[in-house]
Amino acid sequence: MEAARMGFGAITLPHLGNGTRLPLKTKLSCFPLHLLQNNITLSRVSTKHNLCVKATSESSSDVGSSRPLPHVAPNLWGDHILSVPTENSEFDSLETEIESIIKPKVKNMLMSSHNTDKERILLIHLLMCLGTSHYFEKEIEEILDQAFEKLDSLIADEDDLETTAIMFEVFRLYGHKISCDVFDRFKGVDGKFKEHLVSDVRGMLQLYEAAHLATPSDDILDEALSFTRYHLESLAGQEATAPHISRHILNELYKPRFLKLEIAAAREYISFYEKEEHDETLLKFGKLNFNFCKLHYVRELKTITKWWKDLDFAYKLPFSRDRLVETFAGVIAMFFEPRYALGRIVTTKASQIVTVMDDACDAYGTFSEVRSFIDSLQRWDLGAIDELPSCLRIVSRSIMETMEDIKREMKPRGRSSSVQYSIEEIKIIGKAYVELSKWARSDHVPTFDDYIKVGINSSGMRFLPMLSFIALEDCDENKTNEWFESKPKMLQAFCFLFRLENDIVTYEDEMRRGEVANGVNCYMKQHGVTKEVAVRKIKKMIRDSYKIVMEEFLTTEGVPRPVLVRCLNMIRLIKLFYYKEGDGYTNPHRELKDLITSLFFDPLPL
């Protein structure tokens, strides 16, 4: 095998001096760093107190003390959010119209005795698409619990593809393991989906959406995904297909609803539904809810922005990524509903602080400094940080103080032990950073199996859901903590798939920087295959992991549904930053910029 294609070893940069090594990679939690540019040094000329000093490159004779040379892409948003108006009168007006006028009307529609179970399920699906089902969680769960008990009679004579696929999607997303055998009726004697289905555009589109909810044993859904994707691409380009339907198809083919932020998917669907034959009350409900959510988000983001500005990390720690708005968007992926305002604020603060921790390890500290820094966090003692460099003292103090502030705030709400679990996860992430540092500094490419053991702990896919649990005040904290402590298969699968999703999109950049401990590279070495083969195999592992997540969501017992939903929504968070355009967190792409603009700055006209 050609060495150039295999690329296991670290590289050197002759123009930086004989044998100068590129820096290590620490694998953060939710948002990895890929900002290093080979010929840029970090400097900030100022006399302001606590500002980190200029970094310098050193020879490879002292790789343990060489300091990385990062280039940090700028903050795209500045303080613009602080100037976005959020009038109390507008907020109160929206809340009153939703709660006193629209919501009672829609509840009457949902609970009407004139509706059949099937009609209620179709309405629930429409509410989900419009982003308003969260107002009726209790009612919906009761309706679906009762309907699922008579599922056989409900679907016995159903021959409409769209209706069947809608029922399948609704039941699964509410935790009922409806069998994929319901789609067997749409297959011919040859075992393939019937060709006449191709003319049913809406049915095909809904089957495509449902196919993304597969578990490991749902082979028919893999077939459905291939069948629908192939034909929908053709249908979207046909003149006979209405323009708004073509646009809807293309939006879903690019990213299906299950992988989108729910509030972003709702905005897209509202635009589609408005061009359909629609119910004015439901359409208005969707618009009011979107604008109400937007006002919530802007208010919360203003609060967090003021906190972030007070920390002044953009000035004191110029090596760190200033991605507060992007972090907040990721948190919305986990819980978009207005009632979780406190949860979004707390989770964003903690996530942003841990992002800075990652950057301190990845973009600033030498190996010995990183080891001492992480050791100080293990002891969780501010008295242990005195020997650290100024920048790392700032980071260490901020991590401890932020998490302790959160603990104090949540103690009266009975959630302090959940915060402590989050603190323990920070320590676990830190230990993984040290192990990765050893590999990076010694140019060691571990086996894929050894890499994954460390990569799971460094991924942060346990830290984030644990943070989100803090906000679920209506859920039993002890049960949630017991489940979390058991290292559930669902969260382990998330750690695995996130680590590998990230490694695929960052492979080329990391190899150029000499960061050889990458999942793709490790797989190539262990199995003696090319990059192309490794990526294909790893993508299969990722698909299988998503199916495991869905299986665990449907079969886990004794855990409150809101907890499982936050975990399931991690899929939306991952696909927000890692989809088709690389690492969207470190280098925000156009899709992410447009989404943030639509969520925070552009209300829907009523």
Side-chain angles (χ1 to χ4, degrees):
M1 203 74 63
E2 295 180 0
R5 296 189 68 191
M6 302 299 288
F8 301 133
I11 61 174
T12 60
L13 297 178
H15 65 284
L16 290 181
N18 185 26
T20 296
R21 306 308 300 264
L22 289 176
L24 61 93
K25 174 180 73 172
T26 55
K27 300 262 191 182
L28 167 69
S29 75
C30 202
F31 312 116
L33 176 73
H34 317 293
L35 296 173
L36 187 64
Q37 291 186 353
N38 298 337
N39 58 353
I40 296 178
T41 60
L42 169 64
S43 62
R44 182 85 53 108
V45 180
S46 173
T47 58
K48 184 168 181 176
H49 183 61
N50 278 337
L51 179 62
C52 293
V53 297
K54 180 176 180 180
T56 59
S57 64
E58 303 176 30
S59 74
S60 60
S61 63
D62 191 19
V63 293
S65 62
S66 61
R67 197 179 295 289
L69 307 172
H71 167 69
V72 181
N75 176 353
L76 298 174
W77 309 101
D79 298 333
H80 180 61
I81 194 70
L82 296 178
S83 64
V84 177
T86 53
E87 298 296 334
N88 288 336
S89 58
E90 182 183 8
F91 191 92
D92 294 341
S93 175
L94 282 170
E95 186 172 34
T96 299
E97 187 164 10
I98 288 172
E99 293 293 335
S100 301
I101 301 174
I102 299 292
K103 183 178 172 181
K105 289 182 180 179
V106 177
K107 183 177 180 179
N108 287 338
M109 294 168 62
L110 182 63
M111 305 305 293
S112 172
S113 59
H114 299 295
N115 291 335
T116 64
D117 287 333
K118 196 172 296 185
E119 288 171 335
R120 287 196 182 96
I121 293 171
L122 295 178
L123 177 56
I124 290 168
H125 182 260
L126 179 54
L127 294 174
M128 291 167 64
C129 291
L130 292 170
T132 54
S133 59
H134 63 90
Y135 289 99
F136 312 105
E137 285 296 306
K138 183 179 179 181
E139 293 85 353
I140 289 174
E141 288 182 18
E142 290 178 357
I143 290 169
L144 295 179
D145 287 347
Q146 294 172 13
F148 196 71
E149 291 179 358
K150 31 189 180 176
L151 180 64
D152 290 343
S153 61
L154 194 63
I155 64 172
D157 300 319
E158 185 55 65
D159 60 359
D160 180 69
L161 178 59
E162 182 183 15
T163 301
T164 303
I166 283 176
M167 289 195 293
F168 181 87
E169 180 183 4
V170 171
F171 276 125
R172 285 220 163 175
L173 289 180
Y174 273 86
H176 296 282
K177 195 176 181 182
I178 180 174
S179 172
C180 60
D181 293 347
V182 296
F183 296 113
D184 284 341
R185 68 195 68 192
F186 301 104
K187 283 188 167 187
V189 293
D190 59 357
K192 297 180 180 180
F193 281 100
K194 298 174 182 178
E195 284 301 317
H196 77 81
L197 297 173
V198 176
S199 61
D200 181 4
V201 178
R202 298 175 190 277
M204 290 285 285
L205 186 57
Q206 188 54 48
L207 178 58
Y208 169 78
E209 299 283 7
H212 286 86
L213 308 180
T215 65
S217 60
D218 292 339
D219 293 340
I220 190 174
L221 295 185
D222 291 335
E223 299 170 30
L225 189 58
S226 297
F227 174 71
T228 53
R229 182 188 289 121
Y230 175 79
H231 290 289
L232 285 170
E233 288 173 352
S234 173
L235 289 168
Q238 293 180 6
E239 291 186 7
T241 306
H244 75 286
I245 294 179
S246 293
R247 171 48 53 192
H248 188 50
I249 291 173
L250 292 173
N251 285 340
E252 300 311 301
L253 286 175
Y254 178 76
K255 183 183 286 187
R257 183 167 56 243
F258 179 56
L259 304 183
K260 298 173 182 174
L261 272 67
E262 290 175 271
I263 193 64
R267 178 164 187 148
E268 276 187 8
Y269 193 84
I270 287 167
S271 297
F272 165 74
Y273 184 62
E274 194 167 22
K275 295 180 176 64
E276 294 270 278
E277 182 178 342
H278 60 264
D279 183 290
E280 284 294 339
T281 298
L282 295 178
L283 177 62
K284 186 174 184 180
F285 193 17
K287 290 182 175 183
L288 289 170
N289 174 68
F290 179 87
N291 289 343
F292 188 54
C293 287
K294 172 191 165 295
L295 283 179
H296 263 280
Y297 301 155
V298 172
R299 282 186 167 189
E300 295 157 23
L301 195 48
K302 283 184 176 184
T303 297
I304 303 167
T305 299
K306 292 172 183 176
W307 163 81
W308 185 244
K309 281 172 64 67
D310 287 342
L311 290 175
D312 201 19
F313 281 174
Y315 199 89
K316 294 177 182 176
L317 308 176
F319 57 79
S320 66
R321 289 164 291 177
D322 192 358
R323 296 289 180 276
L324 184 69
V325 175
E326 288 81 1
T327 299
F328 185 68
V331 171
I332 289 173
M334 298 178 69
F335 32 30
F336 80 95
E337 300 90 336
R339 67 181 179 275
Y340 292 125
L342 177 60
R344 283 188 290 272
I345 291 172
V346 166
T347 306
T348 301
K349 285 183 176 182
S351 298
Q352 191 67 10
I353 284 292
V354 175
T355 297
V356 175
M357 169 184 162
D358 175 56
D359 292 344
C361 294
D362 205 1
Y364 179 76
T366 66
F367 174 64
S368 60
E369 289 170 349
V370 168
R371 185 170 51 193
S372 298
F373 168 53
I374 296 303
D375 182 61
S376 75
L377 291 178
Q378 301 304 317
R379 287 183 275 174
W380 206 255
D381 178 9
L382 287 174
I385 71 174
D386 293 341
E387 301 304 316
L388 296 175
S390 173
C391 282
L392 297 183
R393 284 202 304 272
I394 293 171
V395 178
S396 190
R397 180 179 295 277
S398 297
I399 292 171
M400 294 185 207
E401 290 182 347
T402 297
M403 295 307 297
E404 292 298 330
D405 285 346
I406 291 173
K407 186 191 289 188
R408 279 190 293 272
E409 183 173 1
M410 300 309 297
K411 186 174 181 179
R413 301 170 184 270
R415 318 303 287 182
S416 58
S417 66
S418 295
V419 181
Q420 186 59 43
Y421 275 100
S422 299
I423 290 172
E424 295 307 314
E425 279 302 308
I426 291 176
K427 296 178 182 180
I428 291 171
I429 293 168
K431 288 180 180 179
Y433 287 173
V434 174
E435 189 66 31
L436 290 164
S437 300
K438 290 180 184 177
W439 290 339
R441 291 304 184 180
S442 62
D443 304 332
H444 177 60
V445 183
T447 65
F448 182 77
D449 296 336
D450 287 343
Y451 172 79
I452 285 300
K453 290 176 185 176
V454 176
I456 283 176
N457 285 337
S458 70
S459 70
M461 291 294 107
R462 284 165 52 82
F463 175 69
L464 282 172
M466 192 67 238
L467 280 172
S468 73
F469 300 162
I470 295 171
L472 305 178
E473 298 181 42
D474 52 343
C475 296
D476 187 305
E477 186 182 38
N478 291 330
K479 287 184 178 179
T480 301
N481 290 344
E482 286 174 9
W483 179 69
F484 179 80
E485 196 170 13
S486 72
K487 295 186 177 180
K489 195 174 180 180
M490 185 180 194
L491 293 185
Q492 292 298 94
F494 267 123
C495 293
F496 180 83
L497 67 88
F498 168 79
R499 182 72 281 138
L500 295 179
E501 289 262 29
N502 171 256
D503 285 350
I504 288 175
V505 301
T506 61
Y507 171 78
E508 299 294 344
D509 286 342
E510 290 178 352
M511 292 304 100
R512 281 194 292 270
R513 298 198 302 268
E515 299 180 17
V516 297
N518 170 289
V520 176
N521 205 35
C522 294
Y523 191 94
M524 290 164 62
K525 179 184 178 182
Q526 179 171 333
H527 297 281
V529 297
T530 64
K531 172 204 163 187
E532 291 73 21
V533 172
V535 169
R536 186 167 66 249
K537 295 288 187 180
I538 290 173
K539 283 185 175 180
K540 172 65 166 55
M541 297 178 198
I542 291 171
R543 289 194 298 272
D544 291 344
S545 294
Y546 279 118
K547 292 180 181 180
I548 290 171
V549 168
M550 180 54 66
E551 177 77 21
E552 293 300 304
F553 175 73
L554 294 172
T555 59
T556 298
E557 298 180 354
V559 180
R561 181 176 177 272
V563 171
L564 295 176
V565 169
R566 290 333 118 196
C567 294
L568 188 66
N569 282 347
M570 296 281 285
I571 293 175
R572 305 179 194 273
L573 184 151
I574 292 171
K575 292 303 183 180
L576 175 66
F577 297 120
Y578 304 103
Y579 195 54
K580 296 183 178 181
E581 301 184 50
D583 176 5
Y585 182 82
T586 299
N587 300 296
H589 43 62
R590 181 171 180 176
E591 178 195 352
L592 181 57
K593 296 173 190 174
D594 291 347
L595 182 143
I596 287 173
T597 299
S598 71
L599 289 185
F600 305 147
F601 306 122
D602 293 343
L604 279 173
L606 297 177

